[in-house]
Amino acid sequence: MIMIKHKTLFAKTALSSFVLLLASCVGVPEPQGGYWQEPKDIQAFEAEGRLAVKVEGKGSYANFDWQYNRSVQTININSPLGNTLGQLCRDEQGVLAVDHNGKTYQADSADDLSRQLLGFALPLQYLHVWTHGYWVRDLPYELLPSGRLKQKDWIISRTLTEKGTTKVLSMENPKLGLRLVFDHINSSNGKQVLQQCEARMK
């Protein structure tokens, strides 16, 4: 594995652009309430929707598709026209990001990758847990009177669909705001699943 050792300007710009495209959509109401449960095993799933990020008051948005199983988690960030702008993948070997030019950045963990390139950690390893309404097992947490969850320096809130699945997941800390608006979340059990990130096979 090629490890990132320095914060190059190019790398920082590339992943900064990637992160800024994980953004909340204009006009989506602020999540209120939601509920949180004891952690359970999460089965394989697929999801699509829109993502947003706000960093130091500046934000942007894009579409996403997300595939998760216990071995591999892949999030593709797409333009409104469907072009892939970047990919983030996590497997048993670590985490990698691929920009729109095909350049790959690697690290042992999502925290390491985002800290090295951006200077702060993104909660990528916890997204699937919070999306399903659980707090992360074995980490301190607090359930706030507003119905929000406080964990790992993040304040997390959810709004739900009529079926009880997450419609909006919102996460905030003093430096960063993230929001995912889901068009659907579907179980993908029974489908053939990858054992490692596709980018490692190229």
Side-chain angles (χ1 to χ4, degrees):
M1 179 187 296
I2 300 174
M3 299 297 298
I4 299 173
K5 299 184 183 296
H6 303 286
K7 289 184 185 178
T8 65
L9 178 61
F10 178 80
K12 188 170 183 178
T13 301
L15 197 62
S16 293
S17 298
F18 177 82
V19 170
L20 285 174
L21 287 165
L22 299 178
S24 120
C25 303
V26 176
V28 175
E30 184 69 19
Q32 300 293 331
Y35 64 91
W36 303 95
Q37 302 181 46
E38 186 78 26
K40 300 177 183 178
D41 289 339
I42 296 174
Q43 304 301 316
F45 68 86
E46 298 176 340
E48 291 184 1
R50 292 150 288 163
L51 303 114
V53 149
K54 181 177 288 187
V55 181
E56 297 179 349
K58 298 179 180 180
S60 185
Y61 70 93
N63 299 328
F64 75 91
D65 61 77
W66 180 6
Q67 293 83 41
Y68 170 87
N69 66 64
R70 292 185 181 182
S71 300
V72 181
Q73 179 172 201
T74 304
I75 300 177
N76 292 306
I77 307 303
N78 308 309
S79 74
L81 297 178
N83 300 317
T84 299
L85 301 173
Q87 181 186 90
L88 185 70
C89 186
R90 179 172 178 259
D91 60 17
E92 294 180 356
Q93 299 179 54
V95 179
L96 57 83
V98 183
D99 68 17
H100 68 284
N101 292 317
K103 186 172 180 62
T104 301
Y105 307 92
Q106 301 187 45
D108 289 334
S109 71
D111 278 0
D112 288 343
L113 183 62
S114 55
R115 274 200 192 96
Q116 291 177 53
L117 295 179
L118 299 172
F120 51 80
L122 297 173
L124 300 167
Q125 66 269 47
Y126 308 128
L127 284 182
H128 64 293
V129 180
W130 293 337
T131 294
H132 283 77
Y134 308 133
W135 55 82
V136 178
R137 185 180 281 114
D138 299 327
L139 290 178
Y141 71 93
E142 180 181 357
L143 298 178
L144 303 177
S146 63
R148 295 175 176 177
L149 170 70
K150 183 176 182 180
Q151 193 167 38
K152 288 291 288 183
D153 298 322
W154 291 88
I155 303 294
I156 310 109
S157 57
R158 306 165 64 221
T159 57
L160 308 180
T161 67
E162 293 181 355
K163 296 181 179 180
T165 61
T166 298
K167 178 61 179 178
V168 180
L169 180 71
S170 180
M171 297 154 283
E172 298 179 356
N173 70 18
K175 294 183 178 179
L176 188 64
L178 295 169
R179 189 177 297 177
L180 287 75
V181 181
F182 293 90
D183 293 332
H184 67 79
I185 304 174
N186 296 325
S187 170
S188 59
N189 288 339
K191 292 186 178 181
Q192 184 177 2
V193 297
L194 296 172
Q195 298 303 311
Q196 64 178 352
C197 296
E198 283 188 290
R200 298 191 195 280
M201 306 176 192
K202 296 179 180 179

